[in-house]
Amino acid sequence: MKKIILDVDTGIDDALGIILAVKSKQLDIQAITTVCGNVSLEQATVNTGKVLDLLGRPDIPVYRGAETPLIRPEFNETRIHGQDGIGGALPYAVPSTAPASGFAADLMIEHALNLKGGQDRLTLVCTGPLTNLAHALLRYPELPKHIEEVIFMGGVIHGCGNVTPVAEYNMYADPEAARIVFHAGFRKLTQVGLDVTRKALLTAEHIAQIADPQIRNYVEQSTSEYTKRYEARNSVRACALHDPLAVGVALWPELLDTKPMYVDIEISSRLCDGQTVGDIQNRLGHPPNMQVSEGVDHEAFLTRFVHVTGQM
């Protein structure tokens, strides 16, 4: 099985991504690392533990990461994800297992170096701001040589942003971290952005098809307010599966159509901080630094998401 570390800022869709990863039984989850983003680092860590309790997998170690972006003030999205980040769906106080000792960036380096290479190389799936991975790269610049692939949810190339007119949230929250990752030289860096995640829309009809009643009830409750806000903004009553789609790419890469492209990120603009700028026509003449998401078989993904998460 593909060995992965999930790097999360556990809000509503990160939690659904964790559920998909664990219930697929197709990924060897080495650890889950947490970062400030949708909610504070502490809340993201608590939420991650609660979701693992829900899944009966408190054995998966959780490591805390960065409490703040590299240089900017923290910017949470509790207005979207609720004060607790998961829509109040798991109201009890604390998870059954405390986080493991150690810092997320060091854990990424340690696991990457300890694996033997070849099929045992580590894959990182990042569904929050890229702060933890940037810290790892600052500590150990040779890290890309030891990583099979980085799949990150973030950015938008052909459309509008979801936190500013041009910026997607994860990129806006820590664009300096994203720029370090973009230019680190990973052998395979796969961007899963709003261009495709806005097509993966979970509706009430999908939720009703989730066979496991405990998971179905959790998904229905956690996405309730998010769905209302999405409808108010986009006139579609659904929950966009941004982060689960990044996990889905790790599971089923054939569902995503990608294009090699040079992409940079704006970090010093009055209006455009966090904008991912794709050199679509190769006007800069730089070699591609990532695979950019261009299309997705969203119907196949939604069918698989419902089936996998609903497994008893």
Side-chain angles (χ1 to χ4, degrees):
M1 292 193 293
K2 185 179 292 185
K3 291 180 169 58
I4 73 165
I5 289 177
L6 294 174
D7 186 50
V8 299
D9 60 336
T10 303
I12 291 167
D13 53 338
D14 301 81
L16 299 182
I18 293 169
I19 292 170
L20 177 61
V22 172
K23 296 206 75 173
S24 74
K25 301 178 183 177
Q26 296 178 43
L27 300 172
D28 183 356
I29 304 171
Q30 303 285 293
I32 300 178
T33 53
T34 58
V35 66
C36 69
N38 290 323
V39 289
S40 69
L41 174 67
E42 185 59 32
Q43 189 66 59
T45 306
V46 167
N47 290 350
T48 302
K50 287 182 176 183
V51 172
L52 292 176
D53 280 351
L54 175 71
L55 295 166
R57 290 300 308 273
D59 57 296
I60 297 175
V62 177
Y63 290 81
R64 291 189 182 96
E67 290 186 301
T68 62
L70 289 183
I71 63 174
R72 296 181 183 233
E74 185 175 358
F75 176 71
N76 300 139
E77 275 285 44
T78 51
R79 65 190 177 91
I80 301 296
H81 296 266
Q83 286 302 312
D84 71 344
I86 49 176
L90 297 173
Y92 62 92
V94 294
S96 63
T97 304
S101 61
F103 183 54
D106 296 328
L107 185 279
M108 291 176 177
I109 296 168
E110 178 185 337
H111 275 265
L113 295 181
N114 284 346
L115 294 176
K116 298 175 182 178
Q119 291 185 344
D120 278 340
R121 279 188 191 274
L122 185 67
T123 294
L124 297 177
V125 180
C126 303
T127 61
L130 294 173
T131 316
N132 285 340
L133 183 51
H135 275 292
L137 290 164
L138 291 171
R139 283 165 159 73
Y140 187 62
E142 300 298 307
L143 181 63
K145 296 179 181 179
H146 304 276
I147 298 286
E148 180 65 24
E149 182 179 11
V150 174
I151 302 168
F152 73 96
M153 190 279 131
V156 58
I157 302 299
H158 301 288
C160 59
N162 64 354
V163 66
T164 76
V166 296
E168 178 275 329
Y169 172 76
N170 287 337
M171 300 295 96
Y172 180 80
D174 198 346
E176 286 79 15
R179 194 164 196 276
I180 289 171
V181 172
F182 289 5
H183 295 284
F186 286 101
R187 67 182 68 209
K188 189 173 183 183
L189 178 63
T190 301
Q191 179 253 8
V192 182
L194 297 180
D195 298 291
V196 289
T197 63
R198 282 176 167 145
K199 298 175 182 177
L201 298 177
L202 187 75
T203 65
E205 289 75 19
H206 292 120
I207 296 172
Q209 296 170 34
I210 296 174
D212 183 334
Q214 186 178 31
I215 298 299
R216 182 175 63 248
N217 291 340
Y218 169 78
V219 174
E220 183 176 28
Q221 184 176 350
S222 69
T223 61
S224 175
E225 289 301 318
Y226 180 104
T227 296
K228 292 177 184 177
R229 288 183 176 274
Y230 194 88
E231 182 180 27
R233 174 70 67 178
N234 302 286
S235 301
V236 178
R237 192 167 183 80
C239 171
L241 296 180
H242 303 299
D243 297 340
L245 185 56
V247 174
V249 172
L251 289 165
W252 311 297
E254 70 276 7
L255 296 183
L256 193 69
D257 293 327
T258 63
K259 179 180 180 180
M261 189 181 299
Y262 177 79
V263 179
D264 210 332
I265 187 166
E266 185 59 70
I267 61 172
S268 58
S269 170
R270 184 174 64 88
L271 293 175
C272 298
D273 273 9
Q275 179 180 16
T276 43
V277 181
D279 190 6
I280 298 168
Q281 296 181 325
N282 195 30
R283 291 183 178 273
L284 299 175
H286 297 315
N289 58 348
M290 68 181 71
Q291 295 289 325
V292 169
S293 56
E294 294 271 303
V296 64
D297 187 342
H298 60 279
E299 291 183 356
F301 171 70
L302 286 162
T303 297
R304 296 182 192 189
F305 177 85
V306 167
H307 171 70
V308 169
T309 57
Q311 293 180 116
M312 304 292 286

